[in-house]
């Protein structure tokens, strides 16, 4: 069984920073792209940032220059450093991983349970 566990969300004032972490564990044969998505109340889930091996990251226009995605391949962990946060960044942030399940040999997308980020004064 594959698990993605996020941490690092919380309440921050506008202009502040947060760092999200997501650890992948369990029945993983190979871990490919990892990334972050978010969903605000009443809105669809949207891509925030993704990264694959050898890439510098793919970002939504709304977060370019403020957010940075990085990975620790040895720890199967992806991070999202969020700076200069704005109220419109408020959402539940979900970790996503594209991986091959060791038990089945099937490639698929897996999701974490989500972590709340609230930007408010």
């Amino acid at each position: 069984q594959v698990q993605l566990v996020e941490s690092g969300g919380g309440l921050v004032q506008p202009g502040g920073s947060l760092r999200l972490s997501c650890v992948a564990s369990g029945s993983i044969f190979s871990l490919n792209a990892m990334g972050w998505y978010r969903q605000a109340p009443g809105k669809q889930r949207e891509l925030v940032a993704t990264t694959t091996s050898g890439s510098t990251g793919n970002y939504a226009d709304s977060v370019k220059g403020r957010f940075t995605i990085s990975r620790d391949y040895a720890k199967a962990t992806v991070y999202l450093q969020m700076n200069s946060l704005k109220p419109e960044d408020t959402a539940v942030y979900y970790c996503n991983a594209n991986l091959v399940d060791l038990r089945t040999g099937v490639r698929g997308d897996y999701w974490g349970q989500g972590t709340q980020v609230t930007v408010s004064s």
Side-chain angles (χ1 to χ4, degrees):
Q1 193 170 3
V2 175
Q3 282 190 315
L4 300 179
V5 179
E6 301 115 330
S7 61
L11 173 64
V12 64
Q13 292 186 340
S17 298
L18 283 175
R19 188 192 194 207
L20 305 183
S21 301
C22 171
V23 181
S25 64
S27 177
I28 300 172
F29 176 74
S30 66
L31 191 56
N32 307 305
M34 294 188 77
W36 293 93
Y37 291 70
R38 67 186 181 187
Q39 187 167 19
K43 294 188 177 181
Q44 290 188 330
R45 190 173 298 188
E46 63 176 4
L47 178 146
V48 176
T50 61
T51 182
T52 57
S53 177
S55 79
T56 57
N58 177 47
Y59 297 90
D61 288 343
S62 60
V63 307
K64 284 181 180 177
R66 300 188 298 121
F67 291 9
T68 303
I69 190 169
S70 61
R71 280 177 72 171
D72 184 329
Y73 287 86
K75 296 181 179 180
T77 300
V78 64
Y79 304 97
L80 185 68
Q81 178 66 43
M82 305 185 292
N83 298 328
S84 302
L85 282 160
K86 304 175 181 179
E88 51 262 44
D89 294 318
T90 296
V92 177
Y93 284 69
Y94 295 91
C95 176
N96 170 268
N98 181 268
L99 57 87
V100 178
D101 190 310
L102 179 64
R103 300 169 301 163
T104 65
V106 175
R107 180 190 298 272
D109 280 316
Y110 291 79
W111 296 89
Q113 81 285 355
T115 185
Q116 177 70 45
V117 171
T118 302
V119 185
S120 175
S121 55

